[in-house]
Amino acid sequence: MARNRYDIDETYEDTYDFGQLKRLSKYVKPHSRTMVAVIFLMLVTAALGMLYPYFLKIIMDYAIPKKDFRTILILAGATLGISLFTAFALKLKISIMTKIGQGIVHDLRSDLFTHILKLPFSYFDSRPHGKIQVRIVNYVNNLSDVLSNGLVNTITDLCSLIFIIIFMFSINVPLTLVVLCGLPIFIAYVFMLKKRQRKAWRAQSNKQSNLNAYISESINGIRVTQSFVREEENIKIFNNLSSAYRRAWLKAVSVSFLMGPFVQVISTATMGAAWILGIHWIQTGFSGVTVGTLIAFTAYISRFWQPITTLADFINNLLTAVSYVERIFETIDEPVKITDRDGAGELPEIVGKVEYKNINFSYDEGVRVLDDINFTIEPGESVAIVGPTGAGKSTIVNLLSRFYNPDSGQILVDGHDLQDVTIKSLRTQMGVMMQDSFIFKGTIMDNIRYGNMDATDEQVMEAAKTVCAHDFIMQMEDGYNTEVNERGSRLSVGQRQLISFARALLADPKILILDEATSSIDTETEILLQRGLNKLLRGRTSFIIAHRLSTIKNCDTIFYVDHGKIVEHGAHYELMAHLGPYYKLYSSQFALL
């Protein structure tokens, strides 16, 4: 699948879906009252700020000619008071909106992460994990300012613009019309630039996603990279991706920066026109233009274009944000294929009887992986599933865990159809161990207790002793409190699997699934572990998938699976006597020893 590569750009629709912004309103709504209060405060500040040029007009036209120093002092004091109030209001606004922005980001990221945890395995198999991470971290972060300060500043700037126009008209109508002549030109330029900005920022987003995907892949595969001496080749790939990101970012920024200089040109042109006409009208006495009027207008012209520039920047940021929103909600809208059916009840405490009735399953439409699987396992029985690679062994147990749903048929546990019970009530009574035993960053004690957070230290140690993990743990510098790294890099593969065994045992599941869980344990450890396994499996219904047939000889039933069918089944001695596929497989392994 093309999107499962770090060097393939994600595709976008040609047009923006601005309807996605409406979905964001639910994250803003809880903060709406506070935002309204902040907007009101900033509007008061903006209105007071409009008085500065008017004060200047009064001083130039009346106070100075009449030598009215009292008026000058009053206006100077008022200016100082407004400045102090503005500084306080701005500090308060920044503090409040920062908290609101981070609150919005937290809620959005929490919803996104919660949804991702519910997605099926197929979602993570079909795209690089780095491209998933960039949505949770970078894309959500980029929305923070737009959803908080952006909204407040936009509303404030719009109102400020209205205030400025009102003040300008109140001072002089002809000069105001001169200034407004530049507005249509600016609007036309914004619309012309919008498409280029959209394409540039979308390209930047793609290149950032690709780079993040490759970094994540490289970190996870660092052992393979160093083992095959691929460092130089990987550096070249990284530099190419990083250069592509740099070029895309520089292009996006350069397109965005085209806005500022154009505004400066329009502002300077309108100001020049106002000065030329203003001086001429002062000389001719047209429309009552005075020196104070012209000076005040100069100040208002600068203020007039400032909010327009801010609004243009917000439009640019909004266009960028929409592309991020599309990706975020695309993830949130990803269907959760494995869900609780309406009316699903809690699965009561089970004893472990498992029934498969006419089970069929396909990962891809038209390519059947399991074909009419039927069997019944009584409580406490141990079942081994063997067969060639790709035969469907892991798929059988994945359906029992409801990592996938069958295309047709029924799976029952103690007579309860798995479709009729909640996923949580099912999985809390099951233990699953896979070949890749994941170890979390933290202590060994924490990793074992992950299966039962209420377990005492003594219970953790007892579980470790049962699966023969206690001795090697105690040989480490801090015993059970030894810190291990993410994915357990300090531990051998066998040690990681033993810790996972202890974790599964501590959870005390009624149904236990071991999917190649003993494949990386050495022969000496295997002998010790077999004793622990006997205790682990005792009284539990267990499914064991193994290529090493020596580990499953004592199972009650052995299924030989090939091409999605159970070809033969029975106890070890029965299948050996039958001289069928299991006999051949076992004999071939024995011959290799």
Side-chain angles (χ1 to χ4, degrees):
M1 189 176 295
R3 61 182 174 180
N4 195 29
R5 295 180 53 173
Y6 58 80
D7 55 349
I8 300 295
D9 290 344
E10 297 179 275
T11 57
Y12 288 91
E13 296 294 333
D14 290 337
T15 57
Y16 279 127
D17 182 7
F18 284 98
Q20 298 285 20
L21 293 177
K22 186 177 181 181
R23 297 178 62 178
L24 285 175
S25 63
K26 76 169 188 175
Y27 296 98
V28 179
K29 190 174 181 180
H31 310 280
S32 57
R33 290 187 177 181
T34 306
M35 292 179 70
V36 168
V38 172
I39 289 171
F40 177 77
L41 177 65
M42 297 313 297
L43 288 180
V44 171
T45 303
L48 291 174
M50 295 301 107
L51 295 174
Y52 290 154
Y54 194 75
F55 289 168
L56 190 59
K57 180 180 184 305
I58 294 174
I59 291 173
M60 294 297 296
D61 288 344
Y62 299 101
I64 291 179
K66 295 182 179 181
K67 298 182 180 180
D68 188 352
F69 295 107
R70 183 173 179 275
T71 298
I72 294 175
L73 289 174
I74 292 174
L75 294 179
T79 300
L80 178 62
I82 293 173
S83 298
L84 293 174
F85 177 80
T86 299
F88 169 77
L90 184 60
K91 183 178 183 301
L92 185 62
K93 173 236 178 184
I94 292 173
S95 175
I96 293 174
M97 294 313 301
T98 299
K99 291 179 181 178
I100 289 177
Q102 288 305 306
I104 293 171
V105 165
H106 169 77
D107 294 340
L108 182 57
R109 182 177 288 128
S110 178
D111 285 354
L112 182 59
F113 183 73
T114 300
H115 185 77
I116 284 176
L117 291 181
K118 299 176 183 177
L119 293 177
F121 291 168
S122 57
Y123 176 81
F124 302 96
D125 293 338
S126 63
R127 50 187 48 79
H129 294 175
K131 291 194 176 186
I132 300 174
Q133 292 172 345
V134 77
R135 299 184 184 199
I136 301 173
V137 181
N138 301 67
Y139 290 179
V140 175
N141 280 344
N142 289 331
L143 292 177
S144 173
D145 194 57
V146 175
L147 294 177
S148 53
N149 281 312
L151 288 174
V152 172
N153 291 342
T154 298
I155 295 173
T156 302
D157 288 336
L158 280 172
C159 294
S160 297
L161 191 59
I162 294 172
F163 291 157
I164 292 170
I165 293 174
I166 291 173
F167 270 91
M168 289 169 68
F169 271 116
S170 67
I171 293 176
N172 191 274
V173 174
L175 284 176
T176 303
L177 294 176
V178 171
V179 175
L180 293 179
C181 285
L183 197 55
I185 301 174
F186 174 76
I187 293 173
Y189 183 77
V190 168
F191 276 97
M192 181 186 70
L193 197 62
K194 182 180 70 173
K195 189 173 182 179
R196 291 182 61 188
Q197 290 175 325
R198 178 182 66 185
K199 288 184 176 181
W201 283 109
R202 278 183 167 179
Q204 181 270 344
S205 172
N206 272 330
K207 301 308 178 185
Q208 181 186 36
S209 180
N210 293 346
L211 180 61
N212 200 75
Y214 187 70
I215 292 172
S216 177
E217 179 183 288
S218 299
I219 292 173
N220 289 330
I222 188 64
R223 286 178 175 80
V224 178
T225 297
Q226 293 183 356
S227 297
F228 287 89
V229 198
R230 280 269 305 186
E231 291 90 342
E232 291 186 9
E233 183 66 26
N234 287 11
I235 290 172
K236 290 179 183 178
I237 295 173
F238 173 83
N239 286 336
N240 289 336
L241 292 172
S242 182
S243 297
Y245 170 67
R246 180 185 61 187
R247 288 193 299 269
W249 188 85
L250 289 174
K251 183 176 181 180
V253 171
S254 64
V255 172
S256 296
F257 282 173
L258 292 175
M259 186 68 68
F262 186 78
V263 172
Q264 188 65 38
V265 170
I266 292 291
S267 174
T268 303
T270 53
M271 186 179 295
W275 271 91
I276 293 172
L277 292 174
I279 293 173
H280 176 69
W281 290 341
I282 289 173
Q283 294 173 343
T284 60
F286 175 76
S287 189
V289 177
T290 63
V291 173
T293 300
L294 193 55
I295 292 175
F297 245 88
T298 302
Y300 279 126
I301 290 172
S302 299
R303 290 171 179 267
F304 175 79
W305 287 104
Q306 182 178 351
I308 291 178
T309 304
T310 305
L311 289 171
D313 289 338
F314 176 75
I315 292 173
N316 179 47
N317 293 334
L318 187 64
L319 293 175
T320 306
V322 170
S323 63
Y324 294 144
V325 170
E326 288 172 346
R327 284 294 177 246
I328 291 171
F329 283 121
E330 177 189 87
T331 304
I332 291 179
D333 291 339
E334 189 73 28
V336 180
K337 298 178 181 178
I338 311 300
T339 59
D340 293 332
R341 178 184 292 175
D342 290 340
E346 296 290 313
L347 179 65
E349 186 173 347
I350 62 175
V351 293
K353 181 177 181 179
V354 176
E355 299 173 81
Y356 276 54
K357 296 183 176 181
N358 308 116
I359 292 297
N360 296 288
F361 177 77
S362 303
Y363 289 107
D364 299 313
E365 189 174 351
V367 182
R368 184 165 290 186
V369 177
L370 296 182
D371 187 6
D372 197 28
I373 300 294
N374 290 274
F375 61 79
T376 299
I377 306 299
E378 297 299 329
E381 286 188 350
S382 57
V383 180
I385 305 176
V386 301
T389 301
K393 303 184 297 295
S394 295
T395 303
I396 291 176
V397 295
N398 283 339
L399 294 178
L400 181 58
S401 305
R402 282 204 69 192
F403 294 139
Y404 302 92
N405 286 330
D407 298 338
S408 61
Q410 280 184 304
I411 301 177
L412 299 96
V413 173
D414 288 2
H416 298 276
D417 191 328
L418 297 191
Q419 301 291 328
D420 296 330
V421 300
T422 62
I423 296 173
K424 182 178 181 180
S425 66
L426 168 68
R427 292 179 183 169
T428 51
Q429 300 190 66
M430 297 180 63
V432 180
M433 277 193 58
M434 299 183 180
Q435 183 175 4
D436 183 14
S437 303
F438 194 92
I439 300 297
F440 297 91
K441 183 174 178 59
T443 65
I444 293 177
M445 180 76 74
D446 292 337
N447 270 278
I448 297 176
R449 188 178 277 125
Y450 195 87
N452 181 0
M453 298 304 294
D454 296 324
T456 63
D457 291 355
E458 290 73 20
Q459 289 172 320
V460 171
M461 294 180 185
E462 187 60 34
K465 290 177 182 178
T466 301
V467 299
C468 309
H470 178 76
D471 290 343
F472 89 79
I473 293 174
M474 293 305 298
Q475 291 174 6
M476 303 188 77
E477 64 269 22
D478 294 317
Y480 284 85
N481 292 318
T482 300
E483 291 280 340
V484 291
N485 300 324
E486 182 183 346
R487 304 190 71 88
S489 58
R490 293 187 58 190
L491 304 170
S492 69
V493 176
Q495 289 173 334
R496 294 201 297 268
Q497 288 185 321
L498 290 174
I499 289 175
S500 297
F501 265 67
R503 179 193 296 163
L505 177 61
L506 193 63
D508 193 24
K510 296 298 186 297
I511 297 176
L512 183 64
I513 296 172
L514 306 179
D515 190 350
E516 294 290 351
T518 61
S519 60
S520 301
I521 296 177
D522 59 75
T523 304
E524 182 180 350
T525 304
E526 180 186 333
I527 295 172
L528 295 173
L529 183 60
Q530 195 65 47
R531 302 171 189 168
L533 266 178
N534 292 334
K535 295 181 181 179
L536 181 63
L537 302 180
R538 189 176 301 152
R540 295 181 172 87
T541 304
S542 55
F543 292 81
I544 305 172
I545 299 174
H547 284 293
R548 294 167 66 175
L549 303 184
S550 59
T551 62
I552 52 93
K553 288 194 302 183
N554 296 326
C555 289
D556 298 309
T557 303
I558 299 173
F559 290 150
Y560 186 93
V561 179
D562 194 10
H563 292 93
K565 293 179 177 290
I566 298 176
V567 177
E568 61 177 358
H569 63 91
H572 170 73
Y573 69 90
E574 293 174 335
L575 296 179
M576 291 298 290
H578 189 260
L579 303 179
Y582 177 79
Y583 169 81
K584 295 176 182 178
L585 181 64
Y586 187 86
S587 299
S588 65
Q589 284 197 8
F590 183 78
L592 293 174
L593 297 178

